[in-house]
Amino acid sequence: MRVALKIAYIGSNYHGSQIQPNVPTVEGELFKALKELEIIKDPKSANFTSSGRTDSGVHAMGQVVAFDTDVPNLAIPRVINSKLPGTIWAWAHSLVPDNFDPRRHAVSRTYRYIMCGEQYDISRIRSASKLLQGTHDFSNFCTNEPGRGTVRTVERIDVRVSGNLTRIDVEANSFLWNMVRKIVTALMMVGSGVRDEEWLEQMLDPDSYEEGMGSAHAYGLVFMDVKYPIPIEWVEDGYAIRRAHERVHDHLVRYRVMADVLEHLLPIVPPSDEI
C-alpha cells in the first residue's frame, strides 16, 4: 500500500531536506528510521517521493512524503517518531492511491518567511507585494537552474505584523530555487526605501532588465503547506502532536534564554560624546 506522511522539522542542523552523502539531512534521518523499523527496504524500491526540497537551514511544518510499504499499520507517526531525532517528526498520515506523487500532483505550495520588521515600512511592503502576484517570469528572483523554466504564478502574498516580527506568506503553483527568499529580499529593499516599486516592476521584466540579488537568511523560512486537487484524508496523530509540542517548547526555552545571553555578551554602549 502507499502511505503519505506530513512531516515537520527544525532545519537548523540539517543540510536541507534532500539526502546527500556525508552530511545530515532530513531525508537521511527519515530513511534511517523507516529502514530500521522495516517499513521500507530502501527509498528506490519503496518509490519514495516528497512534495519539494528545502535548503540548508530551512524549516517545515507541512512537508509531504509518500512511499510504498507492506506494513501500513507501522507507517504511522507515533511509531516512526520513536526512531527520529527530536528535530524531525511526523504528525499525520493517510493511505493514498498507488500513483500518488506528492511533488507532481501538487497544485500549490505555501511558504512563510518570518523577519524582524521594526526597520521596514510595512505599508510599502504590502503595496509592493501586490506587484508580485500573478504570472510572471521570476528569473531575477531565483538561483538559476539550467533547463528549468522560470515563469511561475504567485497566487497570494499576505503580509502580517505580530509584535516586532513580520510574517510574509507566499503561495504559488510551484517555486524556483531560492525564489521565496529573494522575493523577501526585494520586499525588504522596498520596505527600507533602498528601492522603489518602479525597480520591482523592472525586475519582473528580465528580458529588458537583469540584476543579481541575495537571498534572505534561511533561518526565517518555513515550508507551511501543500494543496492537492483531490483532498487527502489526513489522520492526525494526537499523541505525536502532543510530543511535538513538548519538543518545540524545549527549543523555545533554549532560544529565549540564548537571546538574553547574547544581549548580556554585548558591552554597554557608551554615551554618544564618548564615541
Side-chain angles (χ1 to χ4, degrees), residues 45-269:
S45 65
N47 192 23
F48 181 97
T49 53
S50 68
S51 57
R53 68 185 182 188
T54 54
D55 290 335
S56 178
V58 175
H59 322 286
M61 189 189 81
Q63 175 75 274
V64 177
V65 303
F67 51 85
D68 300 333
T69 180
D70 293 329
V71 286
N73 58 308
L74 294 180
I76 58 175
R78 65 183 65 190
V79 174
I80 296 169
N81 290 348
S82 68
K83 299 296 183 181
L84 287 173
T87 48
I88 305 172
W89 58 92
W91 58 275
H93 75 285
S94 179
L95 296 178
V96 291
D98 292 342
N99 67 343
F100 175 68
D101 186 316
R103 182 181 65 82
R104 291 192 303 106
H105 292 163
V107 295
S108 75
R109 297 166 178 81
T110 301
Y111 282 84
R112 171 171 293 172
Y113 196 89
I114 303 171
M115 66 182 192
C116 183
E118 293 178 314
Q119 66 269 48
Y120 302 108
D121 185 325
I122 300 303
S123 62
R124 285 185 179 179
I125 289 179
R126 286 194 174 117
S127 178
S129 71
K130 294 176 183 177
L131 298 176
L132 297 168
Q133 297 181 58
T135 302
H136 305 284
D137 187 336
F138 284 93
S139 295
N140 284 326
F141 296 85
C142 70
T143 299
N144 184 46
E145 295 178 276
R148 190 178 186 192
T150 52
V151 175
R152 295 292 185 273
T153 299
V154 173
E155 298 178 10
R156 67 181 178 92
I157 300 180
D158 292 333
V159 181
R160 299 180 184 181
V161 177
S162 178
N164 63 350
L165 297 176
T166 297
R167 298 171 181 169
I168 301 175
D169 289 351
V170 185
E171 181 180 359
N173 60 337
S174 67
F175 289 91
L176 299 160
W177 189 11
N178 286 332
M179 179 174 158
V180 177
R181 290 162 61 191
K182 286 180 181 284
I183 282 176
V184 170
T185 295
L187 292 176
M188 288 192 294
M189 292 170 73
V190 174
S192 63
V194 173
R195 298 285 189 171
D196 56 20
E197 291 189 7
E198 183 178 351
W199 166 80
L200 193 60
E201 290 178 323
Q202 287 180 312
M203 290 287 283
L204 290 171
D205 185 13
D207 289 336
S208 60
Y209 185 84
E210 184 177 342
E211 181 178 332
M213 184 168 50
S215 301
H217 293 297
Y219 61 73
L221 186 59
V222 186
F223 182 12
M224 296 294 292
D225 194 22
V226 191
K227 290 182 181 177
Y228 295 98
I230 300 176
I232 297 175
E233 295 183 6
W234 293 106
V235 179
E236 296 185 359
D237 189 321
Y239 174 78
I241 292 172
R242 288 192 297 273
R243 290 286 293 128
H245 276 266
E246 294 171 6
R247 294 177 178 187
V248 171
H249 180 264
D250 290 342
H251 285 278
L252 281 172
V253 171
R254 178 181 178 182
Y255 287 124
R256 283 170 180 164
V257 170
M258 279 302 301
D260 198 56
V261 167
L262 291 173
E263 288 188 359
H264 280 77
L265 293 178
L266 293 173
I268 297 173
V269 178

